[in-house]
Amino acid sequence: MSQEVLNIAQLSVGVEDKQILNSVNLTMKAGETHVLMGPNGAGKSTLGYALMGNPKYQILGGSVTFQGENLLEKNVAQRAQAGLFLSFQNPIEVPGITLANFLRSAYEQRGHKISLYNFRKLLKKQMDFLQMDESYMDRDLNVGFSGGEKKKAEILQLLMLEPSLAILDETDSGLDVDAVKTVSNGVEAYQKNQNGSLLIITHSTRILEALKVDYVHVLVNGRIVATGDASMIEEINDHGFEHYLNQ
């Protein structure tokens, strides 16, 4: 039996005195891929940011257990060190720190020890896989990167850091067909090689086409109103969320 990785129970979250999530329940086991879908403004990204510990999001009630420990007691760095990863919808630029230095620091904080030579060799291998130019490793993180390169850099972090649970927030947003395929290949590689758990937040279905999806959840007005298997993706793709809006 697979080990439980994440248990969200009756989680309510607010932003600037406005409640966004209302009593959300979600359980994930090791190796599972869950998809969270819903219309814009439903609260999908709020769940990702709240799980990662963004201080802008206030926990109003409920509990979150990650690998048997109370996640809500940990700060952002501790959550990352424990194996939680969030890929941002709009990755920010970080002047003054190169992609390689950022990743090496994060890699070592995950408990790995590696020489600079071997780290750069490993990094180049993953960059080649994602069709990223090697020169990007010595450029400041996301500074001057195209939208596609920023998303590839997020997936590069996923492959290098090998988290236990990866939350991907609209990772395919704004990408052309070729970039979506490359990003999808990276997510698929993580899914197959790491046996990590995936929580994919999206209102699109493009990134899901190559992935094995175990559960789909529909979030409307801050509540999960439906849960099912991967067949729900095709239904939503064909008919949208209208069926769920009044539930």
Side-chain angles (χ1 to χ4, degrees):
M1 182 178 294
S2 297
Q3 180 182 1
E4 184 177 280
V5 172
L6 181 72
N7 183 276
I8 302 172
Q10 298 293 308
L11 183 67
S12 296
V13 178
V15 181
E16 297 177 350
D17 299 323
K18 180 181 179 181
Q19 185 166 343
I20 306 297
L21 296 181
N22 301 285
S23 301
V24 170
N25 297 293
L26 181 65
T27 300
M28 297 180 63
K29 294 182 178 180
E32 288 184 344
T33 294
H34 290 235
V35 176
L36 185 65
M37 305 186 75
N40 289 332
K44 303 186 299 297
S45 295
T46 293
L47 179 60
Y49 284 120
L51 291 176
M52 202 66 228
N54 187 315
K56 177 181 175 181
Y57 298 83
Q58 297 91 43
I59 305 301
L60 303 178
S63 63
V64 181
T65 302
F66 178 58
Q67 299 189 125
E69 298 184 351
N70 183 353
L71 186 70
L72 302 182
E73 290 183 343
K74 300 179 183 293
N75 61 34
V76 176
Q78 290 169 335
R79 295 181 197 203
Q81 290 166 0
L84 189 63
F85 174 88
L86 173 63
S87 171
F88 296 101
Q89 181 176 351
N90 297 300
I92 63 171
E93 297 185 356
V94 185
I97 181 169
T98 65
L99 173 61
N101 287 343
F102 170 80
L103 271 172
R104 190 174 185 217
S105 176
Y107 189 84
E108 291 182 340
Q109 289 196 35
R110 288 279 287 131
H112 304 294
K113 295 298 181 184
I114 190 171
S115 70
L116 177 60
Y117 174 81
N118 287 331
F119 177 80
R120 290 180 71 91
K121 184 177 178 181
L122 177 61
L123 182 58
K124 182 181 183 304
K125 177 184 176 181
Q126 298 292 15
M127 293 181 78
D128 288 344
F129 175 71
L130 293 172
Q131 300 176 28
M132 290 185 72
D133 191 288
E134 183 181 350
S135 65
Y136 277 82
M137 74 168 67
D138 294 313
R139 292 176 57 176
D140 287 358
L141 180 60
N142 293 327
V143 176
F145 288 24
S146 68
E149 295 298 339
K150 286 181 179 180
K151 295 299 180 73
K152 287 181 183 180
E154 294 278 286
I155 301 305
L156 179 64
Q157 294 171 45
L158 172 67
L159 294 177
M160 291 293 294
L161 300 180
E162 299 181 331
S164 302
L165 170 60
I167 305 168
L168 307 184
D169 185 9
E170 303 284 4
T171 300
D172 58 345
S173 175
L175 300 183
D176 62 27
V177 174
D178 290 339
V180 169
K181 183 176 180 180
T182 301
V183 166
S184 296
N185 288 342
V187 176
E188 185 180 19
Y190 163 80
Q191 189 180 46
K192 289 182 177 179
N193 300 334
Q194 177 63 15
N195 193 38
S197 303
L198 279 166
L199 177 59
I200 301 176
I201 299 171
T202 185
H203 65 269
S204 173
T205 59
R206 298 185 303 167
I207 197 173
L208 307 176
E209 293 173 359
L211 302 178
K212 176 185 175 292
V213 173
D214 297 292
Y215 296 97
V216 176
H217 312 277
V218 178
L219 188 74
V220 174
N221 295 325
R223 296 180 182 274
I224 292 179
V225 298
T227 294
D229 60 21
S231 65
M232 289 178 66
I233 297 171
E234 185 174 353
E235 176 201 343
I236 291 169
N237 204 30
D238 290 339
H239 305 290
F241 299 104
E242 187 174 354
H243 170 69
Y244 302 100
L245 293 178
N246 295 321
Q247 294 188 30

PDB file of all heavy atoms in Angstrom, residues 217-245:
ATOM      1  N   HIS A 217      -9.863  16.751  -9.567  1.00  0.00           N
ATOM      2  CA  HIS A 217     -10.726  17.476  -8.633  1.00  0.00           C
ATOM      3  C   HIS A 217     -11.159  18.773  -9.297  1.00  0.00           C
ATOM      4  O   HIS A 217     -10.351  19.448  -9.938  1.00  0.00           O
ATOM      5  CB  HIS A 217      -9.982  17.798  -7.332  1.00  0.00           C
ATOM      6  CG  HIS A 217      -9.253  16.632  -6.743  1.00  0.00           C
ATOM      7  ND1 HIS A 217      -9.858  15.687  -5.948  1.00  0.00           N
ATOM      8  CD2 HIS A 217      -7.941  16.239  -6.854  1.00  0.00           C
ATOM      9  CE1 HIS A 217      -8.974  14.783  -5.574  1.00  0.00           C
ATOM     10  NE2 HIS A 217      -7.801  15.105  -6.117  1.00  0.00           N
ATOM     11  N   VAL A 218     -12.407  19.126  -9.134  1.00  0.00           N
ATOM     12  CA  VAL A 218     -12.926  20.377  -9.684  1.00  0.00           C
ATOM     13  C   VAL A 218     -13.174  21.341  -8.530  1.00  0.00           C
ATOM     14  O   VAL A 218     -13.934  21.030  -7.597  1.00  0.00           O
ATOM     15  CB  VAL A 218     -14.219  20.159 -10.487  1.00  0.00           C
ATOM     16  CG1 VAL A 218     -14.756  21.496 -10.996  1.00  0.00           C
ATOM     17  CG2 VAL A 218     -13.959  19.214 -11.657  1.00  0.00           C
ATOM     18  N   LEU A 219     -12.510  22.492  -8.602  1.00  0.00           N
ATOM     19  CA  LEU A 219     -12.633  23.523  -7.568  1.00  0.00           C
ATOM     20  C   LEU A 219     -13.475  24.668  -8.108  1.00  0.00           C
ATOM     21  O   LEU A 219     -13.166  25.249  -9.150  1.00  0.00           O
ATOM     22  CB  LEU A 219     -11.251  24.027  -7.164  1.00  0.00           C
ATOM     23  CG  LEU A 219     -11.174  24.970  -5.962  1.00  0.00           C
ATOM     24  CD1 LEU A 219     -11.392  24.199  -4.668  1.00  0.00           C
ATOM     25  CD2 LEU A 219      -9.815  25.675  -5.911  1.00  0.00           C
ATOM     26  N   VAL A 220     -14.548  24.984  -7.411  1.00  0.00           N
ATOM     27  CA  VAL A 220     -15.439  26.079  -7.793  1.00  0.00           C
ATOM     28  C   VAL A 220     -15.740  26.901  -6.547  1.00  0.00           C
ATOM     29  O   VAL A 220     -16.133  26.356  -5.510  1.00  0.00           O
ATOM     30  CB  VAL A 220     -16.751  25.548  -8.407  1.00  0.00           C
ATOM     31  CG1 VAL A 220     -17.720  26.691  -8.668  1.00  0.00           C
ATOM     32  CG2 VAL A 220     -16.470  24.784  -9.698  1.00  0.00           C
ATOM     33  N   ASN A 221     -15.514  28.205  -6.641  1.00  0.00           N
ATOM     34  CA  ASN A 221     -15.809  29.108  -5.521  1.00  0.00           C
ATOM     35  C   ASN A 221     -15.202  28.636  -4.207  1.00  0.00           C
ATOM     36  O   ASN A 221     -15.822  28.690  -3.145  1.00  0.00           O
ATOM     37  CB  ASN A 221     -17.328  29.272  -5.356  1.00  0.00           C
ATOM     38  CG  ASN A 221     -17.964  29.958  -6.550  1.00  0.00           C
ATOM     39  OD1 ASN A 221     -17.365  30.837  -7.163  1.00  0.00           O
ATOM     40  ND2 ASN A 221     -19.178  29.548  -6.900  1.00  0.00           N
ATOM     41  N   GLY A 222     -13.936  28.168  -4.296  1.00  0.00           N
ATOM     42  CA  GLY A 222     -13.208  27.812  -3.090  1.00  0.00           C
ATOM     43  C   GLY A 222     -13.517  26.456  -2.509  1.00  0.00           C
ATOM     44  O   GLY A 222     -13.008  26.117  -1.437  1.00  0.00           O
ATOM     45  N   ARG A 223     -14.321  25.662  -3.190  1.00  0.00           N
ATOM     46  CA  ARG A 223     -14.669  24.333  -2.700  1.00  0.00           C
ATOM     47  C   ARG A 223     -14.426  23.283  -3.774  1.00  0.00           C
ATOM     48  O   ARG A 223     -14.658  23.534  -4.950  1.00  0.00           O
ATOM     49  CB  ARG A 223     -16.150  24.263  -2.276  1.00  0.00           C
ATOM     50  CG  ARG A 223     -16.523  25.155  -1.105  1.00  0.00           C
ATOM     51  CD  ARG A 223     -18.009  25.005  -0.763  1.00  0.00           C
ATOM     52  NE  ARG A 223     -18.422  25.880   0.321  1.00  0.00           N
ATOM     53  CZ  ARG A 223     -18.312  25.573   1.609  1.00  0.00           C
ATOM     54  NH1 ARG A 223     -17.812  24.390   1.958  1.00  0.00           N
ATOM     55  NH2 ARG A 223     -18.696  26.418   2.539  1.00  0.00           N
ATOM     56  N   ILE A 224     -13.977  22.093  -3.358  1.00  0.00           N
ATOM     57  CA  ILE A 224     -13.903  20.976  -4.288  1.00  0.00           C
ATOM     58  C   ILE A 224     -15.301  20.383  -4.401  1.00  0.00           C
ATOM     59  O   ILE A 224     -15.846  19.854  -3.432  1.00  0.00           O
ATOM     60  CB  ILE A 224     -12.889  19.921  -3.811  1.00  0.00           C
ATOM     61  CG1 ILE A 224     -11.466  20.494  -3.895  1.00  0.00           C
ATOM     62  CG2 ILE A 224     -12.993  18.649  -4.660  1.00  0.00           C
ATOM     63  CD1 ILE A 224     -10.379  19.546  -3.430  1.00  0.00           C
ATOM     64  N   VAL A 225     -15.882  20.514  -5.600  1.00  0.00           N
ATOM     65  CA  VAL A 225     -17.280  20.105  -5.793  1.00  0.00           C
ATOM     66  C   VAL A 225     -17.401  18.760  -6.488  1.00  0.00           C
ATOM     67  O   VAL A 225     -18.512  18.193  -6.546  1.00  0.00           O
ATOM     68  CB  VAL A 225     -18.056  21.175  -6.585  1.00  0.00           C
ATOM     69  CG1 VAL A 225     -18.091  22.494  -5.817  1.00  0.00           C
ATOM     70  CG2 VAL A 225     -17.461  21.387  -7.977  1.00  0.00           C
ATOM     71  N   ALA A 226     -16.298  18.234  -7.032  1.00  0.00           N
ATOM     72  CA  ALA A 226     -16.354  16.937  -7.698  1.00  0.00           C
ATOM     73  C   ALA A 226     -14.957  16.332  -7.750  1.00  0.00           C
ATOM     74  O   ALA A 226     -13.964  17.043  -7.889  1.00  0.00           O
ATOM     75  CB  ALA A 226     -16.908  17.073  -9.112  1.00  0.00           C
ATOM     76  N   THR A 227     -14.894  15.011  -7.625  1.00  0.00           N
ATOM     77  CA  THR A 227     -13.649  14.257  -7.737  1.00  0.00           C
ATOM     78  C   THR A 227     -13.922  13.006  -8.554  1.00  0.00           C
ATOM     79  O   THR A 227     -14.942  12.350  -8.361  1.00  0.00           O
ATOM     80  CB  THR A 227     -13.098  13.869  -6.353  1.00  0.00           C
ATOM     81  OG1 THR A 227     -12.714  15.053  -5.639  1.00  0.00           O
ATOM     82  CG2 THR A 227     -11.885  12.960  -6.475  1.00  0.00           C
ATOM     83  N   GLY A 228     -13.005  12.708  -9.476  1.00  0.00           N
ATOM     84  CA  GLY A 228     -13.182  11.516 -10.295  1.00  0.00           C
ATOM     85  C   GLY A 228     -11.870  11.088 -10.910  1.00  0.00           C
ATOM     86  O   GLY A 228     -10.798  11.536 -10.495  1.00  0.00           O
ATOM     87  N   ASP A 229     -11.967  10.243 -11.931  1.00  0.00           N
ATOM     88  CA  ASP A 229     -10.754   9.754 -12.583  1.00  0.00           C
ATOM     89  C   ASP A 229     -10.422  10.615 -13.801  1.00  0.00           C
ATOM     90  O   ASP A 229     -11.033  11.658 -14.042  1.00  0.00           O
ATOM     91  CB  ASP A 229     -10.909   8.287 -12.959  1.00  0.00           C
ATOM     92  CG  ASP A 229     -12.064   8.026 -13.923  1.00  0.00           C
ATOM     93  OD1 ASP A 229     -12.495   8.972 -14.621  1.00  0.00           O
ATOM     94  OD2 ASP A 229     -12.532   6.872 -13.987  1.00  0.00           O
ATOM     95  N   ALA A 230      -9.455  10.155 -14.590  1.00  0.00           N
ATOM     96  CA  ALA A 230      -8.950  10.944 -15.706  1.00  0.00           C
ATOM     97  C   ALA A 230      -9.988  11.208 -16.783  1.00  0.00           C
ATOM     98  O   ALA A 230      -9.814  12.122 -17.601  1.00  0.00           O
ATOM     99  CB  ALA A 230      -7.734  10.249 -16.313  1.00  0.00           C
ATOM    100  N   SER A 231     -11.064  10.446 -16.797  1.00  0.00           N
ATOM    101  CA  SER A 231     -12.102  10.658 -17.813  1.00  0.00           C
ATOM    102  C   SER A 231     -12.753  12.030 -17.673  1.00  0.00           C
ATOM    103  O   SER A 231     -13.317  12.557 -18.642  1.00  0.00           O
ATOM    104  CB  SER A 231     -13.171   9.563 -17.725  1.00  0.00           C
ATOM    105  OG  SER A 231     -13.871   9.626 -16.495  1.00  0.00           O
ATOM    106  N   MET A 232     -12.657  12.626 -16.489  1.00  0.00           N
ATOM    107  CA  MET A 232     -13.232  13.953 -16.273  1.00  0.00           C
ATOM    108  C   MET A 232     -12.517  15.014 -17.106  1.00  0.00           C
ATOM    109  O   MET A 232     -13.109  16.035 -17.450  1.00  0.00           O
ATOM    110  CB  MET A 232     -13.159  14.326 -14.788  1.00  0.00           C
ATOM    111  CG  MET A 232     -14.128  13.534 -13.911  1.00  0.00           C
ATOM    112  SD  MET A 232     -13.953  13.976 -12.155  1.00  0.00           S
ATOM    113  CE  MET A 232     -14.520  15.672 -12.172  1.00  0.00           C
ATOM    114  N   ILE A 233     -11.243  14.778 -17.435  1.00  0.00           N
ATOM    115  CA  ILE A 233     -10.481  15.762 -18.199  1.00  0.00           C
ATOM    116  C   ILE A 233     -11.114  15.973 -19.566  1.00  0.00           C
ATOM    117  O   ILE A 233     -11.307  17.105 -20.014  1.00  0.00           O
ATOM    118  CB  ILE A 233      -9.012  15.319 -18.335  1.00  0.00           C
ATOM    119  CG1 ILE A 233      -8.349  15.242 -16.960  1.00  0.00           C
ATOM    120  CG2 ILE A 233      -8.245  16.275 -19.244  1.00  0.00           C
ATOM    121  CD1 ILE A 233      -6.980  14.601 -16.975  1.00  0.00           C
ATOM    122  N   GLU A 234     -11.430  14.875 -20.241  1.00  0.00           N
ATOM    123  CA  GLU A 234     -12.031  14.976 -21.573  1.00  0.00           C
ATOM    124  C   GLU A 234     -13.411  15.636 -21.500  1.00  0.00           C
ATOM    125  O   GLU A 234     -13.761  16.461 -22.343  1.00  0.00           O
ATOM    126  CB  GLU A 234     -12.154  13.588 -22.202  1.00  0.00           C
ATOM    127  CG  GLU A 234     -12.659  13.622 -23.633  1.00  0.00           C
ATOM    128  CD  GLU A 234     -12.639  12.252 -24.286  1.00  0.00           C
ATOM    129  OE1 GLU A 234     -12.106  11.301 -23.676  1.00  0.00           O
ATOM    130  OE2 GLU A 234     -13.160  12.144 -25.418  1.00  0.00           O
ATOM    131  N   GLU A 235     -14.152  15.294 -20.458  1.00  0.00           N
ATOM    132  CA  GLU A 235     -15.482  15.906 -20.282  1.00  0.00           C
ATOM    133  C   GLU A 235     -15.369  17.420 -20.102  1.00  0.00           C
ATOM    134  O   GLU A 235     -16.110  18.191 -20.736  1.00  0.00           O
ATOM    135  CB  GLU A 235     -16.174  15.293 -19.054  1.00  0.00           C
ATOM    136  CG  GLU A 235     -17.514  15.928 -18.719  1.00  0.00           C
ATOM    137  CD  GLU A 235     -17.932  15.701 -17.285  1.00  0.00           C
ATOM    138  OE1 GLU A 235     -17.369  14.799 -16.630  1.00  0.00           O
ATOM    139  OE2 GLU A 235     -18.799  16.454 -16.797  1.00  0.00           O
ATOM    140  N   ILE A 236     -14.430  17.847 -19.274  1.00  0.00           N
ATOM    141  CA  ILE A 236     -14.243  19.278 -19.042  1.00  0.00           C
ATOM    142  C   ILE A 236     -13.718  19.955 -20.301  1.00  0.00           C
ATOM    143  O   ILE A 236     -14.114  21.079 -20.631  1.00  0.00           O
ATOM    144  CB  ILE A 236     -13.290  19.495 -17.842  1.00  0.00           C
ATOM    145  CG1 ILE A 236     -13.979  19.060 -16.548  1.00  0.00           C
ATOM    146  CG2 ILE A 236     -12.851  20.956 -17.746  1.00  0.00           C
ATOM    147  CD1 ILE A 236     -13.058  18.983 -15.349  1.00  0.00           C
ATOM    148  N   ASN A 237     -12.845  19.272 -21.018  1.00  0.00           N
ATOM    149  CA  ASN A 237     -12.310  19.821 -22.256  1.00  0.00           C
ATOM    150  C   ASN A 237     -13.415  20.065 -23.279  1.00  0.00           C
ATOM    151  O   ASN A 237     -13.392  21.036 -24.039  1.00  0.00           O
ATOM    152  CB  ASN A 237     -11.262  18.867 -22.830  1.00  0.00           C
ATOM    153  CG  ASN A 237     -10.273  19.558 -23.741  1.00  0.00           C
ATOM    154  OD1 ASN A 237      -9.966  20.732 -23.576  1.00  0.00           O
ATOM    155  ND2 ASN A 237      -9.782  18.835 -24.734  1.00  0.00           N
ATOM    156  N   ASP A 238     -14.399  19.177 -23.285  1.00  0.00           N
ATOM    157  CA  ASP A 238     -15.507  19.278 -24.250  1.00  0.00           C
ATOM    158  C   ASP A 238     -16.589  20.257 -23.811  1.00  0.00           C
ATOM    159  O   ASP A 238     -17.160  20.982 -24.630  1.00  0.00           O
ATOM    160  CB  ASP A 238     -16.137  17.899 -24.482  1.00  0.00           C
ATOM    161  CG  ASP A 238     -15.224  16.961 -25.250  1.00  0.00           C
ATOM    162  OD1 ASP A 238     -14.308  17.458 -25.928  1.00  0.00           O
ATOM    163  OD2 ASP A 238     -15.418  15.735 -25.152  1.00  0.00           O
ATOM    164  N   HIS A 239     -16.874  20.289 -22.500  1.00  0.00           N
ATOM    165  CA  HIS A 239     -18.050  21.015 -22.022  1.00  0.00           C
ATOM    166  C   HIS A 239     -17.745  22.127 -21.025  1.00  0.00           C
ATOM    167  O   HIS A 239     -18.678  22.850 -20.613  1.00  0.00           O
ATOM    168  CB  HIS A 239     -19.046  20.031 -21.385  1.00  0.00           C
ATOM    169  CG  HIS A 239     -19.451  18.909 -22.297  1.00  0.00           C
ATOM    170  ND1 HIS A 239     -20.247  19.111 -23.407  1.00  0.00           N
ATOM    171  CD2 HIS A 239     -19.150  17.585 -22.275  1.00  0.00           C
ATOM    172  CE1 HIS A 239     -20.441  17.953 -24.025  1.00  0.00           C
ATOM    173  NE2 HIS A 239     -19.779  17.006 -23.367  1.00  0.00           N
ATOM    174  N   GLY A 240     -16.486  22.287 -20.629  1.00  0.00           N
ATOM    175  CA  GLY A 240     -16.151  23.339 -19.685  1.00  0.00           C
ATOM    176  C   GLY A 240     -16.643  23.033 -18.275  1.00  0.00           C
ATOM    177  O   GLY A 240     -16.928  21.881 -17.933  1.00  0.00           O
ATOM    178  N   PHE A 241     -16.780  24.076 -17.476  1.00  0.00           N
ATOM    179  CA  PHE A 241     -17.118  23.909 -16.053  1.00  0.00           C
ATOM    180  C   PHE A 241     -18.563  24.259 -15.734  1.00  0.00           C
ATOM    181  O   PHE A 241     -18.956  24.268 -14.564  1.00  0.00           O
ATOM    182  CB  PHE A 241     -16.183  24.775 -15.201  1.00  0.00           C
ATOM    183  CG  PHE A 241     -14.736  24.418 -15.333  1.00  0.00           C
ATOM    184  CD1 PHE A 241     -13.864  25.199 -16.072  1.00  0.00           C
ATOM    185  CD2 PHE A 241     -14.236  23.273 -14.722  1.00  0.00           C
ATOM    186  CE1 PHE A 241     -12.532  24.868 -16.204  1.00  0.00           C
ATOM    187  CE2 PHE A 241     -12.901  22.933 -14.846  1.00  0.00           C
ATOM    188  CZ  PHE A 241     -12.047  23.727 -15.594  1.00  0.00           C
ATOM    189  N   GLU A 242     -19.353  24.538 -16.748  1.00  0.00           N
ATOM    190  CA  GLU A 242     -20.720  24.991 -16.499  1.00  0.00           C
ATOM    191  C   GLU A 242     -21.512  24.014 -15.646  1.00  0.00           C
ATOM    192  O   GLU A 242     -22.294  24.411 -14.778  1.00  0.00           O
ATOM    193  CB  GLU A 242     -21.435  25.208 -17.832  1.00  0.00           C
ATOM    194  CG  GLU A 242     -22.821  25.837 -17.679  1.00  0.00           C
ATOM    195  CD  GLU A 242     -23.451  26.178 -19.019  1.00  0.00           C
ATOM    196  OE1 GLU A 242     -22.765  26.039 -20.067  1.00  0.00           O
ATOM    197  OE2 GLU A 242     -24.608  26.593 -19.012  1.00  0.00           O
ATOM    198  N   HIS A 243     -21.295  22.717 -15.885  1.00  0.00           N
ATOM    199  CA  HIS A 243     -22.007  21.685 -15.144  1.00  0.00           C
ATOM    200  C   HIS A 243     -21.751  21.784 -13.642  1.00  0.00           C
ATOM    201  O   HIS A 243     -22.592  21.394 -12.818  1.00  0.00           O
ATOM    202  CB  HIS A 243     -21.586  20.291 -15.663  1.00  0.00           C
ATOM    203  CG  HIS A 243     -22.064  19.155 -14.834  1.00  0.00           C
ATOM    204  ND1 HIS A 243     -23.395  18.786 -14.752  1.00  0.00           N
ATOM    205  CD2 HIS A 243     -21.385  18.281 -14.031  1.00  0.00           C
ATOM    206  CE1 HIS A 243     -23.518  17.746 -13.957  1.00  0.00           C
ATOM    207  NE2 HIS A 243     -22.323  17.413 -13.508  1.00  0.00           N
ATOM    208  N   TYR A 244     -20.578  22.295 -13.266  1.00  0.00           N
ATOM    209  CA  TYR A 244     -20.171  22.294 -11.851  1.00  0.00           C
ATOM    210  C   TYR A 244     -20.454  23.607 -11.143  1.00  0.00           C
ATOM    211  O   TYR A 244     -20.363  23.681  -9.914  1.00  0.00           O
ATOM    212  CB  TYR A 244     -18.672  21.998 -11.754  1.00  0.00           C
ATOM    213  CG  TYR A 244     -18.277  20.690 -12.368  1.00  0.00           C
ATOM    214  CD1 TYR A 244     -17.719  20.659 -13.652  1.00  0.00           C
ATOM    215  CD2 TYR A 244     -18.445  19.486 -11.692  1.00  0.00           C
ATOM    216  CE1 TYR A 244     -17.340  19.462 -14.231  1.00  0.00           C
ATOM    217  CE2 TYR A 244     -18.068  18.284 -12.272  1.00  0.00           C
ATOM    218  CZ  TYR A 244     -17.521  18.275 -13.549  1.00  0.00           C
ATOM    219  OH  TYR A 244     -17.157  17.087 -14.120  1.00  0.00           O
ATOM    220  N   LEU A 245     -20.785  24.652 -11.893  1.00  0.00           N
ATOM    221  CA  LEU A 245     -20.857  25.992 -11.299  1.00  0.00           C
ATOM    222  C   LEU A 245     -21.961  26.131 -10.267  1.00  0.00           C
ATOM    223  O   LEU A 245     -21.855  26.951  -9.355  1.00  0.00           O
ATOM    224  CB  LEU A 245     -21.019  27.043 -12.396  1.00  0.00           C
ATOM    225  CG  LEU A 245     -19.816  27.203 -13.328  1.00  0.00           C
ATOM    226  CD1 LEU A 245     -20.112  28.245 -14.401  1.00  0.00           C
ATOM    227  CD2 LEU A 245     -18.577  27.612 -12.532  1.00  0.00           C
TER     228      LEU A 245
END
